[in-house]
Amino acid sequence: MDLGIRERVAVVAASSRGLGRAVAEALAAEGVRLALCARQADTLAQTAQSIRDRFGVEVLHQALDVTDPAAVKNFVAATFDHFGRVDMGVANAGGPPSKPFSGTTTEDWRSAFDLNFMSTLYLVRELLPYMQRQKWGRVVAITSLTAKQPTDGLILSNAIRAAVSGLMKSLANEYGRDNILFNCVCPGYTATDRLNQVVAAQAAAQGVGADDIVSRWTAHIPLGRLGRPDEFAGLVAFLCSERAGYITGTSTAIDGGLIKGIY
């Protein structure tokens, strides 16, 4: 299927590795030109070059912290100056620490809110003027299954990912008249470095092996396995496409059927 987005331009945050990189690669495979950002300059540069070599698309990249509003503003402006347009934005950031409520501090909550909620707000705020002028835009926020079904030990993610979903639904309602679509994609247990960190934290807290934690998770997943980043990225690419022109305000789980109930 031709997604109809060749030569369009996407800003993908936290895209040097993990789900962000997988999304960048999926968009590049569709001929989308990319503006990539992440904190680690060396890893980001390697990712950008790899995508250029594999897919032959133009890639702009810049190391920055997505919790810095001035840096996000400057990067989106630089993207427009370089490409002459900005069509898509993928809001993404590393997850907050794995902790129970009793183990959190006020600073933990502030940091997690800045990392996952405010970073999304900053990106949207800078993208909107460009998208409104062209009457076309796609914004996808990478959240978590915790936005739909809270997970023990992930209180920070449970609360703040749900807040991102509320923001994106509100924006979908407000900017639909401008043909700007806002959606969330909620990954379940997907084989990334971030998941390995969560596994290690929970294994240490429970005094068990990492394999035991993964086995417990997969035992409750109807498909019986962890997800792959490319499976997740394919959905994000579709939501960024012309083919998804009537999909907005959704929060879609890609979790192998893990979430219970009907959502």
Side-chain angles (χ1 to χ4, degrees):
M1 178 187 294
D2 180 1
L3 295 184
I5 49 178
R6 184 169 298 278
E7 295 300 318
R8 287 195 181 272
V9 175
V11 175
V12 186
S15 47
S16 64
R17 59 185 180 177
L19 294 180
R21 176 170 180 163
V23 168
E25 291 173 345
L27 291 171
E30 296 296 324
V32 174
R33 296 175 288 170
L34 300 171
L36 308 181
C37 64
R39 285 180 297 179
Q40 296 181 339
D42 291 346
T43 306
L44 180 62
Q46 292 168 8
T47 295
Q49 191 57 51
S50 174
I51 291 174
R52 292 187 195 102
D53 293 341
R54 288 180 60 196
F55 302 103
V57 298
E58 190 173 2
V59 182
L60 175 71
H61 68 280
Q62 181 178 323
L64 60 88
D65 183 345
V66 292
T67 67
D68 181 343
V72 174
K73 178 182 179 68
N74 292 338
F75 182 59
V76 173
T79 299
F80 182 82
D81 289 345
H82 183 84
F83 292 108
R85 62 187 302 140
V86 182
D87 302 289
M88 312 161 199
V90 179
N92 183 34
S98 174
K99 294 184 177 183
F101 181 73
S102 60
T104 62
T105 65
T106 299
E107 184 55 36
D108 288 333
W109 284 99
R110 287 178 176 147
S111 296
F113 190 74
D114 283 346
L115 180 64
N116 293 121
F117 186 90
M118 293 305 295
S119 66
T120 302
L121 185 150
Y122 296 149
L123 182 61
V124 169
R125 187 169 62 188
E126 300 309 325
L127 292 172
L128 271 172
Y130 301 108
M131 293 179 174
Q132 284 182 290
R133 285 201 294 269
Q134 64 199 24
K135 296 296 181 182
W136 199 100
R138 306 284 191 266
V139 182
V140 177
I142 298 177
T143 60
S144 170
L145 67 85
T146 61
K148 288 177 168 285
Q149 181 172 288
T151 299
D152 292 346
L154 294 176
I155 184 70
L156 296 167
S157 182
N158 295 342
I160 293 166
R161 304 290 198 182
V164 174
S165 297
L167 171 66
M168 294 292 283
K169 177 59 175 173
S170 300
L171 291 167
N173 294 343
E174 188 169 347
Y175 291 97
R177 65 181 182 274
D178 293 317
N179 193 34
I180 305 172
L181 312 183
F182 293 86
N183 292 288
C184 293
V185 180
C186 311
Y189 295 118
T190 310
T192 63
D193 290 342
R194 163 64 179 164
L195 188 74
N196 291 337
Q197 294 170 2
V198 174
V199 169
Q202 293 198 10
Q206 298 174 33
V208 299
D211 289 344
D212 293 325
I213 298 295
V214 174
S215 294
R216 291 177 194 173
W217 291 344
T218 56
H220 296 284
I221 299 172
L223 291 185
R225 64 175 176 85
L226 301 179
R228 301 193 314 268
D230 66 293
E231 294 172 315
F232 172 86
L235 176 58
V236 177
F238 177 74
L239 290 172
C240 287
S241 76
E242 288 281 7
R243 304 292 173 257
Y246 204 57
I247 302 173
T248 193
T250 68
S251 288
T252 304
I254 179 164
D255 65 348
L258 177 62
I259 292 176
K260 304 298 187 290
I262 300 173
Y263 292 87

